[in-house]
Amino acid sequence: MAKLKIASYWAAGCGGCDTAILDLHEKILDLAAAAEILFWPIALDAKYADVEALAEGALDVTLVNGAIRSSENEHLAKLLRAKSKTLVAFGSCAHLGGIPGLANLFNREQIVECVYRDSPSLEGSNGNGQGARVVPHTRTRVPEGELTLPELYDTVRTLDQTVPVDYYVPGCPPTPKQIWSVIETIVAGKLPARGAILGASERTQCDECPRTKHEKRIRELKRIATAQPDPETCILEQGFLCLGLVTRAGCDSRCQRSGVGCRGCYGPPPGVVDQGAKALSAIASILECDEEHAAEALVAQIPDPLRSFNRFGIPSSLLRRRSL
Amino acid sequence: MLVAGCHPGDCHYINGNHKTFRRMPLLHRFLEEYGIDPRRFRLEWVSASEGDRFAQVVNSLTETVRSLGPCRIGSEGKSPPQPSDGEALPAGLAAPPPAAPARAPQPEA
């Protein structure tokens, strides 16, 4: 049987997803034995032109991590879609928008202003702190020719808001154990019906969390910076934010086992459309407070509810971005 | 959007409105972050026997929404095109930054 032909691409992300694949350690050799890796920028020296030269559908499986927020990301997503029989959104950014998706609370103009003009540690164009601050140009002529940069978009999108996606592997990043189980499924040719979530559970984090749970009643909200949860009981019951209630399981509850609340990176469980809205509803309803003004004071203790409840999913939330 | 319910403490379903008044301040902050004017969203206690009050609340919210105009959900706000060589920089980006406040000379160690 011919070896599987696979690829992995890193769009708008931190690189942690590709690193998680490398964290398979010596199993990466088994992967190389079972499959021919044609394109994987973090590990191989293949070029975009090599992908362009492939026939349509030449790749059996392509993993794309990272969100889509530039013309380069979009070009590669469309190119890899055309060249791949199966396209997988790999990790929270491709799946839900991820941390780069928080940029949807701004637009390009605001981001460029902040990063290239307002940041206190920038110098002007003449190197003396004077002159116009340098902002990125999509085309710049230099004596040797023309240099180009991709265009940055106003809105960050998920992979499936850009091209049709066959499967999703959640996680920020997906755990190596789950990655290996996905690779085994692919190599064995046992992929489920298209549209499925791979490498995760159909249950919620709370279903699989080893901590002891009682009736959930929160009287006071605490933060990990100023208090420490005990190692045995439910983190949310102790007053620390935890999104286990509204998050798909599959990571072995790694955050909760480490003494911090789930941040929601595996995305919504089956049946939940907007993870942040569901978190708001679930957590607010267990606050122990029967006076309206006191309730307002209690929820005011959550410093940043939108980013706390929807840290990984602004682009895939119902509203997708801030309206400007 | 109007969310109306029985007055707290006076509901057949006992505590649904208590859960609602814990959720709504958070939802208010969500909507503001999403760029939706919080005046478009209101929580009011109106029981089934307060017809006049219901009409007042609905009329008042209708007036507010009419004065605010259409809600442009998902609008990116148009960023100027990214500069490329040979094009003028967008006005805000071409001007030199405001002069930094002069720093007091540091005595040499």
Side-chain angles (χ1 to χ4, degrees):
Chain A
M1 193 178 88
K3 271 186 168 184
L4 276 178
K5 292 186 169 51
I6 64 173
S8 175
Y9 177 62
W10 167 1
C14 67
C17 284
D18 272 334
T19 307
I21 300 174
L22 293 171
D23 282 344
L24 291 170
H25 301 306
E26 67 277 5
K27 280 209 170 75
I28 206 90
L29 300 174
D30 296 340
L31 172 63
E36 187 180 352
I37 306 170
L38 293 187
F39 178 64
W40 189 15
I42 199 177
L44 305 175
D45 191 27
K47 306 297 186 194
Y48 290 173
D50 299 324
V51 181
E52 281 156 9
L54 293 173
E56 303 265 308
L59 291 161
D60 291 302
V61 180
T62 296
L63 313 177
V64 173
N65 68 75
I68 306 300
R69 73 180 304 195
S70 73
S71 52
E72 180 185 26
N73 299 152
E74 183 178 5
H75 171 66
L76 262 287
K78 288 178 173 169
L79 183 64
L80 287 165
R81 173 68 278 184
K83 306 295 183 186
S84 308
K85 291 191 186 76
T86 300
L87 187 71
V88 181
F90 188 87
S92 301
C93 299
H95 176 207
L96 307 166
I99 298 295
L102 294 171
N104 282 2
L105 300 176
F106 308 90
N107 68 359
R108 175 176 68 216
E109 186 179 18
Q110 293 169 323
I111 290 167
V112 167
E113 278 290 302
C114 175
V115 175
Y116 294 98
R117 273 184 55 85
D118 294 342
S119 170
S121 52
L122 292 170
E123 287 197 332
S125 56
N126 68 1
N128 288 327
Q130 303 295 316
R133 299 240 161 121
V134 179
V135 298
H137 287 211
T138 50
R139 295 196 313 275
T140 307
R141 267 188 291 280
V142 293
E144 295 79 8
E146 187 177 69
L147 300 174
T148 61
L149 282 175
E151 181 192 349
L152 184 70
Y153 294 154
D154 277 311
T155 296
V156 177
R157 281 173 292 157
T158 65
L159 186 62
D160 75 359
Q161 289 166 356
T162 311
V163 291
V165 167
D166 300 311
Y167 299 101
Y168 304 84
V169 179
C172 182
T175 65
K177 186 176 149 192
Q178 295 284 15
I179 295 171
W180 186 246
S181 81
V182 170
I183 289 171
E184 284 183 322
T185 306
I186 293 171
V187 170
K190 289 183 177 163
L191 282 167
R194 285 177 194 270
I197 306 252
L198 306 177
S201 158
E202 293 297 296
R203 305 198 297 167
T204 69
Q205 290 280 330
C206 293
D207 289 326
E208 299 191 357
C209 177
R211 288 173 175 263
T212 322
K213 298 162 201 88
H214 311 89
E215 192 189 358
K216 291 192 168 30
R217 307 286 284 167
I218 301 177
R219 291 184 187 84
E220 180 195 0
L221 287 154
K222 297 176 193 159
R223 298 183 69 190
I224 209 81
T226 50
Q228 194 172 1
D230 83 50
E232 303 295 334
T233 53
C234 168
I235 287 177
L236 184 61
E237 286 169 21
Q238 297 181 57
F240 298 89
L241 286 184
C242 176
L243 298 193
L245 292 164
V246 296
T247 302
R248 185 181 286 271
C251 63
D252 288 334
S253 312
R254 298 203 333 172
C255 287
Q256 298 93 309
R257 286 176 196 274
S258 311
V260 295
C262 170
R263 306 197 312 161
C265 74
Y266 267 59
V272 172
V273 176
D274 191 309
Q275 187 184 18
K278 196 60 129 183
L280 180 159
S281 176
I283 291 174
S285 66
I286 59 172
L287 299 174
E288 189 155 82
C289 183
D290 289 331
E291 297 295 330
E292 203 167 350
H293 291 296
E296 285 179 22
L298 188 55
V299 298
Q301 293 174 16
I302 301 174
D304 191 348
L306 181 57
R307 292 168 186 79
S308 303
F309 292 163
N310 218 346
R311 191 190 305 263
F312 295 94
I314 299 283
S316 53
S317 70
L318 282 171
L319 292 173
R320 292 197 178 188
R321 62 159 296 115
R322 180 180 175 87
S323 304
L324 294 171
Chain B
M1 170 72 73
L2 173 64
V3 177
C6 302
H7 296 268
D10 190 21
C11 179
H12 177 76
Y13 297 101
I14 302 172
N15 62 3
N17 47 11
H18 290 196
K19 289 179 180 168
T20 301
F21 72 57
R22 294 176 209 139
R23 289 171 183 153
M24 294 306 119
L26 281 171
L27 183 56
H28 228 258
R29 288 165 70 190
F30 256 49
L31 293 176
E32 279 189 87
E33 289 262 25
Y34 273 119
I36 295 176
D37 192 307
R39 288 173 292 176
R40 294 181 183 280
F41 171 79
R42 201 178 285 179
L43 170 66
E44 297 279 358
W45 306 125
V46 187
S47 81
S49 59
E50 293 177 298
D52 279 350
R53 178 164 162 71
F54 181 69
Q56 280 168 13
V57 165
V58 170
N59 284 335
S60 153
L61 183 63
T62 305
E63 281 309 308
T64 304
V65 170
R66 189 170 284 138
S67 71
L68 290 170
C71 181
R72 300 188 310 139
I73 287 175
S75 160
E76 298 176 330
K78 285 172 189 158
S79 285
Q82 275 188 283
S84 72
D85 203 36
E87 292 173 16
L89 292 176
L93 299 176
R103 276 190 211 145
Q106 299 293 315
E108 288 187 18

